[in-house]
Amino acid sequence: MSVSVFLSVLVVVIVTPQGLSTGYQEEWRDYDYLNYYYQEEGEDPPTFLARPQTFTVEVGQSVIIPCDVDKPGGKNKVIIKKLPANGASEKLLSVGSDKVTPDQRVTVDGSRLTITNTRPRDAGAFLCQIDLEPPLQLRHTLDVQYAPTIRALVPPEQRVARGKSVTLECSTRGNPEPTIRWTRQEGPLPSGQRTHQGPRLTVEAVERHMEGTYLCTADNGIGEPASAAVSLTVEYPPEVSTERAVVRTGDGDKVELVCVVHGLPPPDVAWTRDGHPLPDNLMDTKLHLPHQQQQQQQEHHQTRQHHQLLPSGHSAAAYYDPHVSQSHFPHRHTLTIAHVTEKDFGAYVCIAENIHGQMNGVIQMTGLPKPPQVTSSPIGGESHRYTLTWETESYYPITEFLIKYRKTHLGAWHMNRTLMMAGSWLKVSQTVGEAEVRQQGSRLLLACHLQGLEVASDYVAVVRVRNKYGWSAESDSFSFSTRKALKVLQSTSRASPLATALCVSVLLAALCLTLM
């Protein structure tokens, strides 16, 4: 058979399959859509009635992809495809009025494709095509908008050492592209601004007041904004304060020495007295600490030896004292001393330590009186004498006081132009009988009349008091003056410039009752 005859037969077979056997006819019907591209000679090719469009819908809505042609009844069938994205393969959706995709959300009505309950993955390019030479194509674009989602790219709890920097970061998805804004639940951001825009927020040189919950919120105008939370916790070395720096007590009393300790991780706290360690009641600690803090503290104890908090060479067990006990609340650490004796007096130190450092607080327990505080007016009402009053605190009665005073103004210029300074201290001391002192709790009020002073002169005085355990420290310097009146010229036989003083211990009963 010649080549021309073979081609003639081939064309007849393709164009007129009716001449094939029954078996071949069935196989041909499986591929019958090939006829959709056949064009009769002399006929005008079909054209699309629609123009390329971009359809924008929100997720869940429906959309119609139009592929209308001017000759819908012709043999040239419309093929609708979903074009590949990111290198994926294209998907055949329909041929003519026959749906090819198994997706139940897709329906075909003539040359129109309808997608119900759209999803983000439906977005992309759709191609309406009629296979001619050259192919006839119409391209539509579907944009499916959806509300944002967001997630933190850092752990939900950030623990940062004080003074360090930290960067918080979030990632979002959504269409249109969402905007990310940072806020802080507790108030303004560390920068002082209410919000910060962008996927990252850097906090420089963190401090405790910067702690809190930071929110990154994504919003694109579709649906509700989405937020992710990041908690910022600042770790820092111990901070120690004492409720009372000096505790005055006496025999048989019960005393509580309190240190307030803050730090993260929670510090270990130990007590010493005059450099010697005191025992720690771990049972009290477990009673008052929250479960999580108990676990943290137990783990911390396992990784370090307790004697590291104490002076070298000492062991807490070696100094066990049954009348001394400790208790540890989350921040309040108390050393209780029952039935105080003079042997218990001394300097007590609470030592707090965590991985970031160590700090201590000192409490002095003593039986000595409190340094007096002068309460009288600095301006005297008499020309040659002044009544000095003061108060003090003492667990035991005051038995004696000591006053030192002298003039404070500078002397006159001498002929040789030298400056004459104030004189030396004058001292007055006197014992105080129990009958003369009335005690209000641990507070006492006393007075002394200083006599033989110069008129219109300035003086300074300091006071000390004594009880059975010894002398107090001196009071702060107190300045006072005698009555501001013109000095009377003295005769040449005037008295000696050294003033004399008569001091009497006076119980200011009326003043005591007023202060009660």
Side-chain angles (χ1 to χ4, degrees):
M1 182 182 294
S2 66
V3 175
S4 59
V5 176
F6 175 80
L7 291 177
S8 299
V9 173
L10 180 60
V11 171
V12 171
V13 170
I14 294 176
V15 176
T16 60
Q18 292 82 359
L20 298 177
S21 65
T22 303
Y24 284 99
Q25 289 179 16
E26 292 176 356
E27 183 178 355
W28 180 256
R29 279 196 297 270
D30 293 339
Y31 299 93
D32 195 39
Y33 67 86
L34 293 177
N35 277 331
Y36 300 159
Y37 317 134
Y38 172 75
Q39 179 179 344
E40 296 287 348
E41 185 177 354
E43 290 185 0
D44 293 331
T47 58
F48 289 110
L49 298 177
R51 295 181 179 180
Q53 300 179 60
T54 296
F55 301 93
T56 300
V57 296
E58 291 187 19
V59 66
Q61 295 180 340
S62 298
V63 64
I64 297 176
I65 307 296
C67 298
D68 299 336
V69 295
D70 60 349
K71 296 179 181 180
K75 294 183 178 181
N76 299 288
K77 305 300 181 182
V78 178
I79 301 173
I80 304 178
K81 302 177 182 179
K82 172 76 181 299
L83 296 184
N86 301 323
S89 58
E90 66 180 25
K91 295 181 179 179
L92 181 63
L93 302 180
S94 66
V95 177
S97 60
D98 297 328
K99 187 181 78 167
V100 178
T101 177
D103 195 332
Q104 298 298 320
R105 299 176 301 117
V106 177
T107 58
V108 178
D109 182 11
S111 56
R112 293 191 170 192
L113 185 76
T114 301
I115 305 176
T116 59
N117 191 23
T118 53
R119 300 173 183 174
R121 60 182 173 86
D122 294 328
F126 290 79
L127 189 66
C128 307
Q129 177 177 309
I130 298 177
D131 276 356
L132 300 175
E133 282 296 336
L136 183 64
Q137 295 181 338
L138 173 65
R139 183 186 180 104
H140 296 303
T141 301
L142 175 61
D143 183 23
V144 180
Q145 296 184 340
Y146 53 95
T149 59
I150 196 167
R151 66 185 181 92
L153 298 182
V154 295
E157 182 179 2
Q158 291 288 300
R159 298 174 70 93
V160 184
R162 186 173 65 187
K164 300 294 185 180
S165 299
V166 62
T167 297
L168 311 180
E169 186 173 3
C170 281
S171 174
T172 184
R173 293 183 59 191
N175 185 29
E177 182 70 23
T179 298
I180 298 180
R181 286 184 174 85
W182 288 89
T183 57
R184 180 167 167 255
Q185 283 187 347
E186 291 73 14
L189 297 171
S191 63
Q193 298 177 332
R194 301 296 302 184
T195 63
H196 170 80
Q197 184 171 327
R200 299 175 191 84
L201 174 67
T202 299
V203 183
E204 303 282 356
V206 297
E207 293 292 341
R208 288 179 59 190
H209 69 273
M210 300 177 184
E211 287 186 329
T213 301
Y214 290 75
L215 297 177
C216 54
T217 302
D219 188 11
N220 64 356
I222 305 297
E224 295 296 328
S227 296
V230 180
S231 175
L232 177 61
T233 302
V234 180
E235 294 189 351
Y236 56 99
E239 298 174 354
V240 180
S241 62
T242 59
E243 287 191 350
R244 290 187 294 170
V246 179
V247 176
R248 303 182 191 282
T249 184
D251 291 340
D253 196 12
K254 180 180 179 180
V255 173
E256 289 187 348
L257 311 181
V258 178
C259 274
V260 179
V261 178
H262 294 272
L264 196 67
D268 285 329
V269 177
W271 289 84
T272 66
R273 182 184 67 218
D274 296 331
H276 298 297
L278 297 173
D280 184 7
N281 295 352
L282 294 178
M283 183 173 295
D284 286 346
T285 302
K286 294 176 183 178
L287 278 175
H288 301 303
L289 288 178
H291 176 72
Q292 183 178 2
Q293 189 170 343
Q294 288 183 32
Q295 183 176 1
Q296 292 177 351
Q297 196 169 68
Q298 289 171 358
E299 293 174 354
H300 192 47
H301 275 297
Q302 292 174 357
T303 58
R304 57 185 294 276
Q305 295 181 350
H306 184 65
H307 71 268
Q308 290 177 341
L309 278 174
L310 306 174
S312 177
H314 294 291
S315 168
Y319 292 92
Y320 178 73
D321 191 339
H323 81 297
V324 177
S325 61
Q326 298 183 39
S327 63
H328 303 278
F329 287 85
H331 301 296
R332 196 172 187 269
H333 302 264
T334 304
L335 181 69
T336 302
I337 303 173
H339 306 292
V340 171
T341 67
E342 187 174 355
K343 294 180 180 179
D344 294 317
F345 296 159
Y348 289 79
V349 181
C350 58
I351 306 171
E353 182 181 14
N354 65 12
I355 60 175
H356 298 293
Q358 178 176 302
M359 183 62 68
N360 60 60
V362 180
I363 302 176
Q364 187 74 36
M365 193 170 80
T366 180
L368 296 178
K370 182 179 180 179
Q373 182 178 356
V374 179
T375 58
S376 51
S377 171
I379 301 176
E382 299 179 87
S383 300
H384 296 285
R385 80 171 191 167
Y386 177 81
T387 300
L388 186 71
T389 63
W390 68 91
E391 67 177 23
T392 185
E393 291 182 9
S394 175
Y395 193 85
Y396 294 95
I398 298 299
T399 59
E400 187 177 358
F401 65 78
L402 172 66
I403 300 174
K404 296 193 306 181
Y405 69 98
R406 69 179 180 183
K407 291 181 66 175
T408 56
H409 71 278
L410 298 178
W413 285 97
H414 281 210
M415 296 298 295
N416 60 0
R417 298 187 180 277
T418 60
L419 189 62
M420 186 175 180
M421 302 299 294
S424 59
W425 288 105
L426 297 176
K427 296 182 181 180
V428 177
S429 65
Q430 184 168 324
T431 58
V432 179
E434 292 185 5
E436 299 177 272
V437 178
R438 185 176 178 181
Q439 192 167 347
Q440 298 292 330
S442 61
R443 189 175 64 172
L444 298 171
L445 294 175
L446 298 173
C448 176
H449 300 302
L450 301 178
Q451 301 192 33
L453 305 179
E454 294 185 17
V455 66
S457 298
D458 296 324
Y459 290 84
V460 65
V462 293
V463 186
R464 297 177 69 190
V465 293
R466 183 177 184 178
N467 67 10
K468 63 178 288 186
Y469 287 114
W471 287 97
S472 71
E474 287 185 345
S475 68
D476 294 334
S477 295
F478 177 75
S479 298
F480 66 93
S481 62
T482 53
R483 185 177 179 181
K484 300 295 184 180
L486 292 176
K487 292 186 177 181
V488 179
L489 295 177
Q490 304 292 331
S491 65
T492 55
S493 60
R494 64 183 180 178
S496 170
L498 292 177
T500 60
L502 174 63
C503 294
V504 180
S505 299
V506 179
L507 173 64
L508 302 180
L511 183 56
C512 289
L513 294 175
T514 302
L515 296 175
M516 287 179 59

PDB file of all heavy atoms in Angstrom, residues 264-277:
ATOM      1  N   LEU A 264      14.776  36.108  91.377  1.00  0.00           N
ATOM      2  CA  LEU A 264      14.340  35.058  90.463  1.00  0.00           C
ATOM      3  C   LEU A 264      15.560  34.495  89.753  1.00  0.00           C
ATOM      4  O   LEU A 264      16.323  35.275  89.150  1.00  0.00           O
ATOM      5  CB  LEU A 264      13.348  35.608  89.442  1.00  0.00           C
ATOM      6  CG  LEU A 264      12.530  34.569  88.664  1.00  0.00           C
ATOM      7  CD1 LEU A 264      11.581  33.841  89.592  1.00  0.00           C
ATOM      8  CD2 LEU A 264      11.759  35.210  87.536  1.00  0.00           C
ATOM      9  N   PRO A 265      15.757  33.178  89.837  1.00  0.00           N
ATOM     10  CA  PRO A 265      14.980  32.172  90.556  1.00  0.00           C
ATOM     11  C   PRO A 265      14.896  32.480  92.051  1.00  0.00           C
ATOM     12  O   PRO A 265      15.727  33.221  92.577  1.00  0.00           O
ATOM     13  CB  PRO A 265      15.767  30.869  90.298  1.00  0.00           C
ATOM     14  CG  PRO A 265      16.612  31.145  89.104  1.00  0.00           C
ATOM     15  CD  PRO A 265      16.944  32.593  89.169  1.00  0.00           C
ATOM     16  N   PRO A 266      13.880  31.911  92.747  1.00  0.00           N
ATOM     17  CA  PRO A 266      13.721  32.199  94.171  1.00  0.00           C
ATOM     18  C   PRO A 266      15.019  31.905  94.927  1.00  0.00           C
ATOM     19  O   PRO A 266      15.567  30.800  94.831  1.00  0.00           O
ATOM     20  CB  PRO A 266      12.600  31.249  94.596  1.00  0.00           C
ATOM     21  CG  PRO A 266      11.822  31.001  93.342  1.00  0.00           C
ATOM     22  CD  PRO A 266      12.830  30.999  92.241  1.00  0.00           C
ATOM     23  N   PRO A 267      15.540  32.879  95.670  1.00  0.00           N
ATOM     24  CA  PRO A 267      16.826  32.672  96.350  1.00  0.00           C
ATOM     25  C   PRO A 267      16.705  31.704  97.527  1.00  0.00           C
ATOM     26  O   PRO A 267      15.654  31.570  98.151  1.00  0.00           O
ATOM     27  CB  PRO A 267      17.197  34.077  96.840  1.00  0.00           C
ATOM     28  CG  PRO A 267      16.308  35.014  96.082  1.00  0.00           C
ATOM     29  CD  PRO A 267      15.061  34.252  95.792  1.00  0.00           C
ATOM     30  N   ASP A 268      17.803  31.041  97.806  1.00  0.00           N
ATOM     31  CA  ASP A 268      17.955  30.318  99.071  1.00  0.00           C
ATOM     32  C   ASP A 268      18.320  31.336 100.143  1.00  0.00           C
ATOM     33  O   ASP A 268      19.083  32.276  99.896  1.00  0.00           O
ATOM     34  CB  ASP A 268      19.067  29.266  98.967  1.00  0.00           C
ATOM     35  CG  ASP A 268      18.613  28.053  98.172  1.00  0.00           C
ATOM     36  OD1 ASP A 268      17.420  27.738  98.208  1.00  0.00           O
ATOM     37  OD2 ASP A 268      19.473  27.437  97.524  1.00  0.00           O
ATOM     38  N   VAL A 269      17.789  31.161 101.338  1.00  0.00           N
ATOM     39  CA  VAL A 269      18.034  32.101 102.432  1.00  0.00           C
ATOM     40  C   VAL A 269      18.561  31.332 103.643  1.00  0.00           C
ATOM     41  O   VAL A 269      18.004  30.301 104.031  1.00  0.00           O
ATOM     42  CB  VAL A 269      16.749  32.868 102.803  1.00  0.00           C
ATOM     43  CG1 VAL A 269      17.004  33.782 104.001  1.00  0.00           C
ATOM     44  CG2 VAL A 269      16.264  33.694 101.617  1.00  0.00           C
ATOM     45  N   ALA A 270      19.642  31.835 104.211  1.00  0.00           N
ATOM     46  CA  ALA A 270      20.216  31.267 105.431  1.00  0.00           C
ATOM     47  C   ALA A 270      20.518  32.411 106.397  1.00  0.00           C
ATOM     48  O   ALA A 270      20.707  33.559 105.988  1.00  0.00           O
ATOM     49  CB  ALA A 270      21.481  30.480 105.120  1.00  0.00           C
ATOM     50  N   TRP A 271      20.572  32.081 107.681  1.00  0.00           N
ATOM     51  CA  TRP A 271      20.819  33.082 108.729  1.00  0.00           C
ATOM     52  C   TRP A 271      22.127  32.778 109.453  1.00  0.00           C
ATOM     53  O   TRP A 271      22.482  31.612 109.639  1.00  0.00           O
ATOM     54  CB  TRP A 271      19.691  33.083 109.757  1.00  0.00           C
ATOM     55  CG  TRP A 271      18.388  33.635 109.267  1.00  0.00           C
ATOM     56  CD1 TRP A 271      17.423  32.970 108.578  1.00  0.00           C
ATOM     57  CD2 TRP A 271      17.910  34.972 109.458  1.00  0.00           C
ATOM     58  NE1 TRP A 271      16.368  33.803 108.318  1.00  0.00           N
ATOM     59  CE2 TRP A 271      16.630  35.037 108.856  1.00  0.00           C
ATOM     60  CE3 TRP A 271      18.428  36.111 110.085  1.00  0.00           C
ATOM     61  CZ2 TRP A 271      15.869  36.212 108.861  1.00  0.00           C
ATOM     62  CZ3 TRP A 271      17.655  37.267 110.090  1.00  0.00           C
ATOM     63  CH2 TRP A 271      16.399  37.316 109.482  1.00  0.00           C
ATOM     64  N   THR A 272      22.816  33.836 109.834  1.00  0.00           N
ATOM     65  CA  THR A 272      23.987  33.691 110.704  1.00  0.00           C
ATOM     66  C   THR A 272      23.852  34.673 111.866  1.00  0.00           C
ATOM     67  O   THR A 272      23.140  35.680 111.783  1.00  0.00           O
ATOM     68  CB  THR A 272      25.293  33.981 109.957  1.00  0.00           C
ATOM     69  OG1 THR A 272      25.337  35.370 109.580  1.00  0.00           O
ATOM     70  CG2 THR A 272      25.433  33.114 108.710  1.00  0.00           C
ATOM     71  N   ARG A 273      24.534  34.356 112.976  1.00  0.00           N
ATOM     72  CA  ARG A 273      24.620  35.281 114.112  1.00  0.00           C
ATOM     73  C   ARG A 273      26.079  35.453 114.477  1.00  0.00           C
ATOM     74  O   ARG A 273      26.772  34.479 114.793  1.00  0.00           O
ATOM     75  CB  ARG A 273      23.849  34.742 115.316  1.00  0.00           C
ATOM     76  CG  ARG A 273      23.880  35.712 116.520  1.00  0.00           C
ATOM     77  CD  ARG A 273      23.199  35.131 117.737  1.00  0.00           C
ATOM     78  NE  ARG A 273      23.939  34.002 118.262  1.00  0.00           N
ATOM     79  CZ  ARG A 273      23.383  32.911 118.767  1.00  0.00           C
ATOM     80  NH1 ARG A 273      22.064  32.790 118.767  1.00  0.00           N
ATOM     81  NH2 ARG A 273      24.128  31.926 119.238  1.00  0.00           N
ATOM     82  N   ASP A 274      26.526  36.682 114.365  1.00  0.00           N
ATOM     83  CA  ASP A 274      27.935  36.985 114.634  1.00  0.00           C
ATOM     84  C   ASP A 274      28.854  36.070 113.835  1.00  0.00           C
ATOM     85  O   ASP A 274      29.884  35.599 114.338  1.00  0.00           O
ATOM     86  CB  ASP A 274      28.238  36.882 116.138  1.00  0.00           C
ATOM     87  CG  ASP A 274      27.471  37.923 116.950  1.00  0.00           C
ATOM     88  OD1 ASP A 274      27.190  38.995 116.397  1.00  0.00           O
ATOM     89  OD2 ASP A 274      27.157  37.649 118.126  1.00  0.00           O
ATOM     90  N   GLY A 275      28.457  35.780 112.590  1.00  0.00           N
ATOM     91  CA  GLY A 275      29.280  34.970 111.702  1.00  0.00           C
ATOM     92  C   GLY A 275      29.051  33.485 111.797  1.00  0.00           C
ATOM     93  O   GLY A 275      29.602  32.722 110.997  1.00  0.00           O
ATOM     94  N   HIS A 276      28.230  33.028 112.747  1.00  0.00           N
ATOM     95  CA  HIS A 276      27.970  31.593 112.908  1.00  0.00           C
ATOM     96  C   HIS A 276      26.620  31.243 112.305  1.00  0.00           C
ATOM     97  O   HIS A 276      25.625  31.952 112.527  1.00  0.00           O
ATOM     98  CB  HIS A 276      27.989  31.202 114.383  1.00  0.00           C
ATOM     99  CG  HIS A 276      29.314  31.442 115.048  1.00  0.00           C
ATOM    100  ND1 HIS A 276      30.460  30.789 114.670  1.00  0.00           N
ATOM    101  CD2 HIS A 276      29.669  32.294 116.054  1.00  0.00           C
ATOM    102  CE1 HIS A 276      31.467  31.200 115.421  1.00  0.00           C
ATOM    103  NE2 HIS A 276      31.017  32.129 116.262  1.00  0.00           N
ATOM    104  N   PRO A 277      26.525  30.138 111.548  1.00  0.00           N
ATOM    105  CA  PRO A 277      25.260  29.762 110.907  1.00  0.00           C
ATOM    106  C   PRO A 277      24.228  29.295 111.917  1.00  0.00           C
ATOM    107  O   PRO A 277      24.558  28.739 112.961  1.00  0.00           O
ATOM    108  CB  PRO A 277      25.667  28.638 109.949  1.00  0.00           C
ATOM    109  CG  PRO A 277      26.896  28.051 110.564  1.00  0.00           C
ATOM    110  CD  PRO A 277      27.620  29.192 111.221  1.00  0.00           C
TER     111      PRO A 277
END
